Every structure is written in C-alpha cells, then in structure tokens.
Amino acid sequence: MSQPPDSRPPDARLADLAVLIARNRPRFRTATEFVEAAMREAILEGVLPAGAPLRQEDLAAAFGVSRMPVREALRQLEARALVEFHPHRGAVVAEISAEDSADIGAIRAALEPAALRLSLPHLTADDLALAAELIAEMDAETDPGRMGELNRRFHMTLYSRAGRPRLLALVEQHLSAADRYLRFQFAALGYHPRSQDEHHALLAACRAGDADAACGIVVRHVIQAGEQLSAFLDGRG
Amino acid sequence: MSQPPDSRPPDARLADLAVLIARNRPRFRTATEFVEAAMREAILEGVLPAGAPLRQEDLAAAFGVSRMPVREALRQLEARALVEFHPHRGAVVAEISAEDSADIGAIRAALEPAALRLSLPHLTADDLALAAELIAEMDAETDPGRMGELNRRFHMTLYSRAGRPRLLALVEQHLSAADRYLRFQFAALGYHPRSQDEHHALLAACRAGDADAACGIVVRHVIQAGEQLSAFLDGRG
DNA sequence: GACAGGTAAATTGGATCCAATATCCAGGCA
DNA sequence: TGCCTGGATATTGGATCCAATTTACCTGTC
C-alpha cells in the first residue's frame, strides 16, 4: 500500500502487526527468533515506518510475550542498523536519509558485481528460467510490496550460485534495505519500466555468460537507482 | 588546577567542561554496551577462542552484572556473526573455517577498493603522513595483536575520507574479522615482510593519486592474504 | 556387557519485579 | 513574561525468579 509517512492512527498499524504475528507464530523455536523475524519484516515492509517509536510494553502485548524477547530482538535489529537505541529513551525504527541511501547504493555497487561474477559460471538453466519467470511476474505486478520482493528474488537468483554464504547474506541484507527506500519511490513516482529493460538486458548477459557486461549492467542499475532515490529524498528533505 | 575565577568567557568554560566529561566517560552508559564491547574485543583478539562455550552465568559473574546484559550483548554479537546460538544449548564463539575465510576475503576484495576510490581524492597530507607512520610502527612491532591493530588502522586511515559511514563500518567489521583469522597465521608462520612491501606500494599509489593502481594493489593484497589463509586452514583440517 | 528408558541436574528461555533515568508540567523567582 | 528549578510520571535498564528443554547419568533388562 502507499504510505505517506504515517497519516494513519497508531492502532491501525498495530492491527497490521497482528496479522503478521498470527500467521508466523508456530514456525519459530524461541519467542526471540519469532519477534526478531516479524519485526524485521515489518520494518522492511514499511508496516513500521521510519522514526516510529518502539515501546517495549506495546510490542510485547502485540506479540503476546513479555518485554524480554522484545528487548533481545531489538538488540539484534540494532546490530543490523534497522533500529536505533537511545539510552533510557527507547528505540525507534531507523530513519532514512539521502546520505544513507547513497551509502547503501555504494555498498550494493561493490558487492553485487562480486557476487554475480562468482555465481555466473555456475548458473543452471533452471536458475535462468526462474529469473525469466520473475521478470514476467514483475510485468504483471502492481503492488509495490510484491514488486520489491520479486525484484529481490530476481537478483538473488542470479547471485545464488556464488557459494559464499556470508557475501550473499550481506547482499540480501542491503537489497532489502534498498527495498525499504524504494517503497517511497514506488509510492510517489510509480513504477519505472526502464528498470525492467535493465532486467532483461542483465538476464541476456547472464545467458551469454558475459560477466563483464552483466556486472556493468548491475552497477549502472544500482547506481542509477541510488541517484534517483537520493534526488527524490533530497527533494523532500 | 584552580583558575582565576571569571577571566574567561562562559562558553569557553562550558567547552572545557564538555572535554572533561567526555574524557572521564570511557565508562559506558549501560551495562549492555559495556559487555558487548568487551566481548567483541575479546573474541576478535582471540582471548575467547573459536568454539569456546559462552556460559551466561559465568560471563555475568566475570563482568559483575546479571545474566540479562550478557544475553543482550550475545544477541548483538550473534547478529554480527561473532557468536552462534543453539536454542536451549547455549552460545559459542563463532567457528572459523577455510570457507568462511574465503568468504570474508571476497567481501573485502569487493568493499575495500570501493572505499578507497571514494576516499582517495579527499585524503589530506596528514592522513598520508599518519599512514606512513603506521607502516613504520609495523616494522618495529612483533606482537601479533598490536600488529593486527596497526594494520587495521593503516587501511582505515586510507579509507577514512570516503564519507560513507555505513560502508566504512562494514569494511572495518570485516577487516577485524580477517584479523581474527590472521592471528593464526602470525602465530604459526610468523610475520610476512611481503605484506609490508605491498603497504609501501599502496601508500605510494595513494600519494600519486592513482586510484586504479591503488585499488589493484588492495585487491591483490586481500586476495593473496585470503588464499594464504585458506591454504593454511585447509592444511590443518 | 551393551543398550533402552527414565530421572535428575544444569542451563537456557521467559516473566516478573525493582531501580535508575528522562520527560513533562507546575510553581517560584528574576 | 520568561527562565530556571523541583517534583510527578512514564519508560527503560537491570536483577531475580520460574518454567521448559537438553544432556548426562544411572539403572534395569535383554
């Protein structure tokens, strides 16, 4: 859904949270894991908007647990730069800014070509078919949330054979972080078909096994997205 | 210590007060922060070796706090991949492996050239002088711990003007992670003078403002270190 | 003698309780 | 009137307490 920074009452957001909560409850071994995963998703999806205060008591009540699992989850999210702690004042969802957007862009522009270069020689026909399918799904998709997810899966599919779990985790983490920013752009400017052209070109280069061309496309893709976002954020800064 | 009562403007005295406060505050704001910082250092320095079990009760006693700050600190370190949680079985210091070493090497090889390229145009004469000084100190240093610290500071000095806090944090994090591995190499194989040659070459390229050459050196430097480590780790199974 | 089962000890995960700190508001004073 | 000061309140940080799970050991049987 579109999200002009919270024009909705807080209890409406809590209701959205409740949906996320009930759905995934039994899949985790400990409450901390569960809360951490749910809150990460909520932040990345924009259910919890940037700057939103995170009252431990309220969150505990929403999740049906005590404050302690909430506290541990918040600490993990802090280490991932998704929430900020202010001692004795509480935690808030990490703010977004043009500078941070550029920062994430620089990181992606460095990591993703590396992942692609490692992965490309080992990509299977199935991988490429899946990537093509994801592009097609994106053509039909209008919801920004689903769109971000498809975009992420498309990129990760191409990187998936890199055989470097730690590198891939970093890439996915920053792809998700970028998604969080992209939501703004989608909501305000609509979807960019130009991005789809680049996806097609990228897939073609991967099919041809042309690592240099593919990496070039990825870098341009990332940098251009970053600049667009920075300009957009500066404009409303 | 005492000063002539009112010979100076009030804001000067306020500034001095701020300095005094800042200096007397290596004391942390919260116990969790303190424990987290101490344990991170302990793991990176090798005081807590890989695979070591982390009993919450023992750590709490060692730090003179209750189990709760320890638990929160452990969660943060988990998010940074320095400790591993096994539900209901406890946490252990993250294991090291040849694969993980290669993983870290790939990440460094991607991030550090990017940081250097952004930073290089803004490096000052002071920065370069500091870097040269750190190389000289490394020549005289024999302790592996101090050596790692100097090496880290040398690299970070060259990257410090990148103006991308998030990127720099990632670089430093993986530089530290690599240090943890390097300790083994230092201990078993002794120090490598070849690395110092590369440091000199890197500094020279930076002085000359030659980004391509500097990045090339960094990449070779990182990759070579990674291969050496992987071979070493493979060798001891 | 070895293995299965069950029980007890140890340790973690989670809840509750208390203390410390920041914010907010009212009232006094220049 | 404006600012500073003091206290009330809400919220976090930390300690203690209880429950759930795992592991190890012990015992009994085959």
Side-chain angles (χ1 to χ4, degrees), chain A residues 83-162:
Chain A
V83 315
E84 298 167 1
F85 265 81
H86 302 278
H88 293 105
R89 286 178 48 195
V92 299
V93 178
E95 295 285 356
I96 68 179
S97 69
E99 291 78 22
D100 195 45
S101 170
D103 218 326
I104 292 173
I107 293 170
R108 290 186 61 196
L111 291 181
E112 298 199 18
L116 181 56
R117 215 173 271 275
L118 287 168
S119 173
L120 203 149
H122 307 107
L123 282 177
T124 67
D126 282 353
D127 295 329
L128 295 169
L130 175 57
E133 194 178 320
L134 288 168
I135 292 182
E137 283 188 52
M138 275 190 267
D139 273 329
E141 188 61 61
T142 58
D143 175 59
R146 293 275 310 152
M147 177 67 76
E149 154 124 16
L150 291 172
N151 180 61
R152 218 165 54 224
R153 283 175 56 199
F154 168 72
H155 280 266
M156 290 308 295
T157 299
L158 296 183
Y159 310 149
S160 61
R161 305 293 175 183

Side-chain angles (χ1 to χ4, degrees), chain B residues 203-222:
Chain B
L203 180 56
C206 289
R207 277 222 169 85
D210 188 341
D212 290 336
C215 288
I217 294 170
V218 165
V219 169
R220 278 201 309 278
H221 186 62
V222 169

Side-chain angles (χ1 to χ4, degrees), chain A residues 3-220:
Chain A
Q3 43 169 26
D6 43 357
S7 59
R8 300 169 39 193
D11 30 333
R13 294 206 307 264
L14 276 187
D16 284 347
L17 254 186
V19 174
L20 271 179
I21 290 166
R23 182 161 48 211
N24 296 323
R25 179 57 222 282
R27 300 192 353 202
F28 295 91
R29 308 213 33 205
T30 70
T32 298
E33 279 180 28
F34 163 58
V35 174
E36 193 268 342
M39 288 196 56
R40 179 173 46 188
E41 190 177 338
I43 293 173
L44 291 173
E45 303 265 327
V47 176
L48 291 172
L54 299 168
R55 293 271 171 275
Q56 298 177 1
E57 197 73 48
D58 297 346
L59 291 170
F63 284 105
V65 298
S66 81
R67 273 176 51 211
M68 172 149 332
V70 173
R71 282 164 67 174
E72 291 191 351
L74 287 176
R75 288 296 181 184
Q76 296 188 72
L77 296 172
E78 181 197 21
R80 290 204 158 83
L82 288 177
V83 315
E84 298 167 1
F85 265 81
H86 302 278
H88 293 105
R89 286 178 48 195
V92 299
V93 178
E95 295 285 356
I96 68 179
S97 69
E99 291 78 22
D100 195 45
S101 170
D103 218 326
I104 292 173
I107 293 170
R108 290 186 61 196
L111 291 181
E112 298 199 18
L116 181 56
R117 215 173 271 275
L118 287 168
S119 173
L120 203 149
H122 307 107
L123 282 177
T124 67
D126 282 353
D127 295 329
L128 295 169
L130 175 57
E133 194 178 320
L134 288 168
I135 292 182
E137 283 188 52
M138 275 190 267
D139 273 329
E141 188 61 61
T142 58
D143 175 59
R146 293 275 310 152
M147 177 67 76
E149 154 124 16
L150 291 172
N151 180 61
R152 218 165 54 224
R153 283 175 56 199
F154 168 72
H155 280 266
M156 290 308 295
T157 299
L158 296 183
Y159 310 149
S160 61
R161 305 293 175 183
R164 294 271 181 269
R166 204 159 170 158
L167 171 62
L168 285 188
L170 265 191
V171 168
E172 183 157 36
Q173 186 178 329
H174 289 88
L175 213 43
S176 299
D179 255 5
R180 184 161 166 256
Y181 279 88
L182 272 181
R183 227 156 263 277
F184 278 27
Q185 194 179 26
F186 279 137
L189 305 178
Y191 171 61
H192 285 268
R194 180 160 155 211
S195 170
Q196 278 290 72
D197 293 343
E198 291 172 341
H199 286 160
H200 281 112
L202 175 55
L203 181 55
C206 289
R207 277 221 170 85
D210 189 341
D212 290 335
C215 288
I217 294 169
V218 166
V219 169
R220 279 201 309 277

Side-chain angles (χ1 to χ4, degrees), chain B residues 8 24 44 60 66 87-88 122-123 131 144 148 151 197 215 221 226 229:
Chain B
R8 297 162 25 155
N24 288 358
L44 291 174
S66 81
H88 292 104
H122 307 108
L123 282 177
N151 179 63
D197 293 343
C215 288
H221 186 62
L229 258 177

Side-chain angles (χ1 to χ4, degrees), chain B residues 88-138:
Chain B
H88 292 104
R89 286 177 46 195
V92 298
V93 177
E95 295 284 356
I96 67 179
S97 68
E99 292 77 24
D100 194 46
S101 170
D103 217 325
I104 291 172
I107 293 169
R108 290 185 60 196
L111 292 181
E112 299 199 19
L116 181 55
R117 214 173 273 275
L118 288 168
S119 173
L120 203 149
H122 307 108
L123 282 177
T124 67
D126 282 353
D127 295 329
L128 295 169
L130 174 57
E133 194 177 319
L134 289 168
I135 293 182
E137 282 188 53
M138 275 191 265

Side-chain angles (χ1 to χ4, degrees), chain B:
Chain B
M1 285 286 287
S2 71
Q3 298 172 348
D6 282 316
S7 61
R8 297 162 25 155
D11 33 331
R13 278 179 291 152
L14 274 187
D16 284 354
L17 190 60
V19 171
L20 275 184
I21 291 173
R23 179 167 359 171
N24 288 358
R25 197 202 291 209
R27 196 179 154 200
F28 292 85
R29 306 271 318 262
T30 71
T32 299
E33 282 180 26
F34 165 57
V35 173
E36 195 269 341
M39 287 195 56
R40 178 172 49 188
E41 191 176 337
I43 293 174
L44 291 174
E45 303 265 327
V47 175
L48 291 173
L54 299 168
R55 294 268 172 277
Q56 298 177 2
E57 196 74 47
D58 297 348
L59 291 170
F63 283 106
V65 298
S66 81
R67 273 176 53 210
M68 172 151 332
V70 173
R71 281 164 67 174
E72 290 190 353
L74 287 175
R75 287 297 181 186
Q76 297 189 71
L77 296 172
E78 181 197 20
R80 290 205 157 84
L82 288 177
V83 314
E84 297 166 3
F85 265 80
H86 303 277
H88 292 104
R89 286 177 46 195
V92 298
V93 177
E95 295 284 356
I96 67 179
S97 68
E99 292 77 24
D100 194 46
S101 170
D103 217 325
I104 291 172
I107 293 169
R108 290 185 60 196
L111 292 181
E112 299 199 19
L116 181 55
R117 214 173 273 275
L118 288 168
S119 173
L120 203 149
H122 307 108
L123 282 177
T124 67
D126 282 353
D127 295 329
L128 295 169
L130 174 57
E133 194 177 319
L134 289 168
I135 293 182
E137 282 188 53
M138 275 191 265
D139 272 329
E141 188 60 63
T142 58
D143 175 58
R146 292 273 311 149
M147 176 68 73
E149 155 125 15
L150 291 172
N151 179 63
R152 216 165 55 223
R153 283 174 56 197
F154 167 73
H155 279 266
M156 290 308 294
T157 299
L158 295 182
Y159 309 148
S160 61
R161 305 292 175 183
R164 293 271 181 270
R166 204 158 170 157
L167 172 62
L168 285 188
L170 265 191
V171 168
E172 183 157 34
Q173 187 177 329
H174 290 88
L175 212 43
S176 298
D179 255 6
R180 186 161 164 254
Y181 280 87
L182 272 181
R183 223 157 267 277
F184 279 27
Q185 195 178 27
F186 278 138
L189 305 178
Y191 171 59
H192 285 270
R194 182 162 155 208
S195 170
Q196 277 291 71
D197 293 343
E198 290 172 343
H199 286 159
H200 280 112
L202 175 54
L203 180 56
C206 289
R207 277 222 169 85
D210 188 341
D212 290 336
C215 288
I217 294 170
V218 165
V219 169
R220 278 201 309 278
H221 186 62
V222 169
I223 287 185
Q224 186 227 332
E227 283 175 356
Q228 220 161 358
L229 258 177
S230 291
F232 177 65
L233 290 171
D234 272 335
R236 56 160 47 192

